[in-house]
């Protein structure tokens, strides 16, 4: 991205361009990436309802159900109906699911694949806060 100076472009427009470029670098959100994100969230936050996870990821209910079913068939995820409210489905990782996440985390850590290593932990937290603020304002 040499020569990427934005002095002649309004800051808001340049920010838009940079966010698009970052999205392109991060890649498309294909099925495997979404499956990986689901597993990571459950690994970090523990069991949660399918609806809560779907909302966190910003995906459609049908897509969430399909992906959860695939992960369950692979033995990485458990889906259990709430005893009190049969409409609620709780998702949790199996031991194989936890192992899958740990394996991917180890690989990315040791292969230098950490996408945000150029930012300090504090900068990453600030970026998260700012992006979350933007997302809330757009909803």
């Amino acid at each position: 991205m040499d020569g990427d100076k934005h002095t002649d472009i309004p800051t808001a427009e340049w920010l838009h361009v940079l966010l698009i470029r970052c999205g392109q670098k991060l890649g498309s959100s294909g099925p495997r990436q979404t499956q990986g994100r689901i597993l990571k969230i459950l690994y970090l936050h523990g069991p949660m309802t399918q609806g809560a996870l779907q909302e966190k990821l910003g995906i459609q209910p049908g897509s969430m159900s399909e992906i959860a079913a695939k992960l369950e068939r692979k033995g990485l995820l458990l889906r259990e109906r709430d005893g009190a409210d049969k409409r609620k489905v709780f998702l949790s990782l199996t031991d194989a699911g936890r192992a899958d996440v740990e394996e991917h985390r180890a690989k990315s850590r040791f292969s230098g694949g950490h996408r945000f290593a150029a930012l300090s932990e504090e900068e990453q937290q600030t970026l998260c806060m700012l992006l979350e603020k933007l997302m809330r304002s757009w909803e």
Side-chain angles (χ1 to χ4, degrees):
M1 292 199 311
D2 52 283
D4 282 350
K5 302 210 186 292
H6 72 279
T7 54
D8 57 340
I9 301 172
T11 301
E13 290 300 318
W14 184 240
L15 183 58
H16 184 108
V17 168
L18 290 174
L19 287 172
I20 289 171
R21 286 184 179 177
C22 285
Q24 291 168 341
K25 290 286 185 186
L26 289 171
S28 65
S29 184
R32 178 57 192 149
Q33 283 187 318
T34 302
Q35 289 176 21
R37 287 177 31 215
I38 288 169
L39 296 175
K40 282 182 208 166
I41 290 170
L42 292 173
Y43 181 86
L44 294 171
H45 300 286
M48 65 176 57
T49 65
Q50 187 166 307
L53 187 54
Q54 164 204 317
E55 190 173 312
K56 192 178 230 11
L57 292 166
I59 60 178
Q60 297 298 314
S63 297
M64 184 69 226
S65 294
E66 185 179 328
I67 295 167
K70 286 179 184 177
L71 290 169
E72 186 177 39
R73 283 191 300 271
K74 291 179 180 180
L76 302 174
L77 183 82
L78 286 176
R79 292 191 300 172
E80 298 176 290
R81 294 235 175 246
D82 185 321
D85 184 351
K86 297 292 184 195
R87 293 171 296 172
K88 285 186 181 177
V89 176
F90 281 90
L91 304 177
S92 60
L93 291 180
T94 63
D95 289 341
R98 264 186 291 290
D100 184 77
V101 172
E102 289 169 358
E103 180 183 330
H104 282 89
R105 288 174 68 128
K107 281 181 185 176
S108 68
R109 200 173 309 128
F110 295 121
S111 67
H114 191 272
R115 295 172 190 251
F116 304 103
L119 302 176
S120 70
E121 178 66 25
E122 184 179 333
E123 289 170 327
Q124 290 177 43
Q125 290 174 359
T126 300
L127 181 58
C128 286
M129 180 192 68
L130 292 171
L131 291 173
E132 288 168 354
K133 183 176 182 178
L134 276 175
M135 292 301 296
R136 283 191 304 273
S137 76
W138 294 338
E139 290 173 349

